[in-house]
Amino acid sequence: MKYYAVSDAHGFYTKLEEALRKAGFFEDSKNVLIFCGDVLDRGKEANKMVSFLLKLKEEGRLILIQGNHEDLLVQCLQSIAGGNIYEIASGMSHHYRNGTWDTLLQLARMNDRDALDYPSMLIERVRNSPFCRELLPFARDYYETEKHIFCHGWIPLDIDIVDRTAVFKYRSDWRDADTTEWHKARW
């Protein structure tokens, strides 16, 4: 058994599958994929990516770490629920530019027009998608082996500003960081 670590596939399932095949991931059914976040957004293969990761999860071969684009998806749904769907869909939002809007459409299996006409349906379909129901709750902030720490971004640190320069300080208690601190570390 080997660990294979990837990050930031952003919905490009075919490219990920090709890279894993070249690296030998599929040669041993015991190999484990450590996916360090940013599973979706930007690529057009969100549902293929989700299916692949669900299969690995069911086989006990997936460690999924939450990335900032997983955070974006949750934030985008909240923003739509708050009535900001036109801002998002029209391109005036970072959710559009980062690909989150398109990811929502893929997960909900809806087009722009239907999503704009039925935002509550969009929200419901995405929240009930396998990605939100099964993969997001399975995601963790970090994974640690004897020699390595896997995360998206960095581990929570203390940051001071000295002469307009950020100074990063190691925190020995980083494993006890709360959700807010991990959210900041992913960005």
Side-chain angles (χ1 to χ4, degrees):
M1 189 256 315
K2 291 182 186 177
Y3 287 114
Y4 288 73
V6 299
S7 180
D8 296 82
H10 286 288
F12 291 97
Y13 168 73
T14 301
K15 295 285 186 187
L16 174 66
E17 193 268 339
E18 288 171 5
L20 289 173
R21 188 164 307 288
K22 282 182 185 177
F25 177 77
F26 298 105
E27 292 172 12
D28 186 341
S29 63
K30 295 178 185 170
N31 290 336
V32 174
L33 181 65
I34 302 174
F35 204 124
C36 295
D38 290 4
V39 170
L40 305 176
D41 290 351
R42 301 191 179 127
K44 300 291 185 192
E45 300 173 295
N47 291 308
K48 283 184 180 180
M49 184 73 78
V50 169
S51 294
F52 172 66
L53 295 180
L54 285 172
K55 181 178 183 285
L56 291 180
K57 178 183 175 274
E58 290 166 8
E59 295 170 354
R61 300 176 58 206
L62 176 67
I63 295 163
L64 181 60
I65 296 165
Q66 184 135 338
N68 60 311
H69 280 260
E70 284 73 37
D71 292 340
L72 278 176
L73 187 137
V74 172
Q75 291 170 359
C76 189
L77 286 174
Q78 291 169 343
S79 188
I80 291 168
N84 295 326
I85 192 166
Y86 292 104
E87 177 185 322
I88 293 166
S90 67
M92 296 187 298
S93 165
H94 65 282
H95 293 299
Y96 187 89
R97 292 186 299 276
N98 279 309
T100 311
W101 172 251
D102 189 53
T103 294
L104 296 182
L105 296 176
Q106 289 179 59
L107 293 175
R109 300 182 189 277
M110 293 176 77
N111 61 42
D112 284 289
R113 183 76 261 153
D114 289 342
L116 288 168
D117 288 343
Y118 306 102
S120 59
M121 181 185 293
L122 172 71
I123 293 168
E124 181 182 345
R125 284 185 177 186
V126 173
R127 286 185 178 156
N128 287 318
S129 72
F131 182 75
C132 287
R133 273 193 348 263
E134 298 178 51
L135 290 176
L136 274 182
F138 178 71
R140 54 179 82 177
D141 294 316
Y142 70 96
Y143 180 73
E144 189 171 6
T145 66
E146 186 177 318
K147 295 183 181 181
H148 299 92
I149 300 165
F150 297 89
C151 61
H152 186 87
W154 57 75
I155 61 173
L157 305 163
D158 288 329
I159 304 171
D160 292 330
I161 304 297
V162 177
D163 296 325
R164 294 188 282 171
T165 302
V167 177
F168 302 97
K169 296 180 183 176
Y170 175 76
R171 285 179 39 189
S172 60
D173 69 340
W174 64 267
R175 289 173 187 86
D176 300 321
D178 64 23
T179 302
T180 303
E181 293 170 298
W182 277 106
H183 178 80
K184 287 179 188 175
R186 286 193 281 273
W187 287 86

